[in-house]
Amino acid sequence: MEIVILAVVIALVVLGALGGLIVGSRRKKPLPPPPPAAPDITAPPAEPHVGDEAETPRDEPRRTIEEVDLPGGPAPVVVEEPPAGPAVEVPGLEIPEPTAGRLVRLRARLSRSQNALGQGLLTLLSREHLDEDTWEEIEDTLLTADVGVQPTQELVERLRERVKVLGTRTPEELRGLLREELLKLVGTDVDRTVKTEPEDRKPGIVMVVGVNGTGKTTTTGKLARVLIADGRTVVLGAADTFRAAAADQLQTWGERVGAYTVRGPEAGDPASVAFDAVKEGKEMGVDVVLIDTAGRLHTKTGLMDELGKVKRVVEKHAPLDEVLLVLDATTGQNGLVQARVFAEVVDITGIVLTKLDGTAKGGIVVAVQRELGVPVKLIGLGEGADDLAPFEPEAFVDALIGD
């Protein structure tokens, strides 16, 4: 009996072990994938709600539904879009002040520093008796104002003759007389246009030269504003590669009004920068290329040779239309020494007189024109961006003699 019970127990144990092996093997087998669900081609796509866009809060991210191919059919994928925040405003370009009549608008600023010449002459000419001592005082007044020896002698001689013929002199007659003679001295029949529009090609090419400290780079930037105010397009060439931050300064001026600046490495070849600027200007189809040059001391032969090289390299593209010499009006007769040296190296076609609003003496306009035989074309009357004005003889003389 005991033997039978033992046999039954062993049989049950064996059967249990075999059953576990069978179940384990079944669990290891992968289940077949379910059959793909057939897409419902009869159901139309859902119509978008008209008010969905309006109802989406500005601060909540919008969600769009895109279809991607996955096993088992297309499945919707939610794509997050950035929230619609406030629009980023791009700062606009500055709009330069129109150049027409700019000197007239700046007349008060000019007259504050120049009235000493005009009012001094009117006071002397108004004396009842114009003796030799008075005429010597008139000469001294003109010389002190940096008019120059030769122009002063010519003006005094003409005034002597006209006053003698005039006889009795009223203040109005004296003012008219002095105005006429000063206009003759300054010159009203000279073309003072900055040449930037050659007839047979584009762009016009202008090179700006001068000693450091005269405001040369600033003048180049302001001239770009003058041209853009008159509807021209401009490329700036930062060929002053020797002065620290000169290229940065010029580029800042250009960015304010939308003028592109071509620049090179610091202490690089200025002629190469000038060449590239003209090339870029031609490719862009702009109206004018302005080239700012180095301005170390004029007594250094290296600078003069360098300017000559820049001129020759630029003229491989096209002839220069203008070479503007920037002079600090406060230096007076000393500025004429600089003018002579620059004129020997490059053909100066026009003068830019800066700082005429300070201690400058208006007679320098006459002296520098007489010395170089070229006209003053632009004058600077302050630190403001639009304080560079085309030179107008009538407005200038009116500011000299006052109201």
Side-chain angles (χ1 to χ4, degrees), residues 97-108:
E97 179 183 351
T99 59
R102 184 180 286 188
L103 183 55
V104 175
R105 295 192 295 274
L106 297 172
R107 176 181 165 184

Side-chain angles (χ1 to χ4, degrees), residues 90-96 225 228 254-259:
V90 178
L93 298 176
E94 295 180 12
I95 301 176
R225 294 178 66 91
I228 289 173
E255 288 173 349
R256 291 176 180 174
V257 290

Side-chain angles (χ1 to χ4, degrees), residues 145-188:
D146 286 330
V147 173
V149 175
Q150 188 64 33
T152 293
Q153 292 175 348
E154 293 176 9
L155 179 58
V156 169
E157 197 60 36
R158 290 201 303 265
L159 287 174
R160 276 178 177 266
E161 294 177 3
R162 295 197 62 179
V163 167
K164 185 183 296 184
V165 172
L166 187 63
T168 304
R169 307 175 301 279
T170 65
E172 291 76 16
E173 289 172 331
L174 281 174
R175 186 179 301 277
L177 170 64
L178 186 58
R179 185 179 189 276
E180 289 178 20
E181 294 302 329
L182 286 174
L183 280 174
K184 289 179 183 178
L185 206 60
V186 172
T188 57

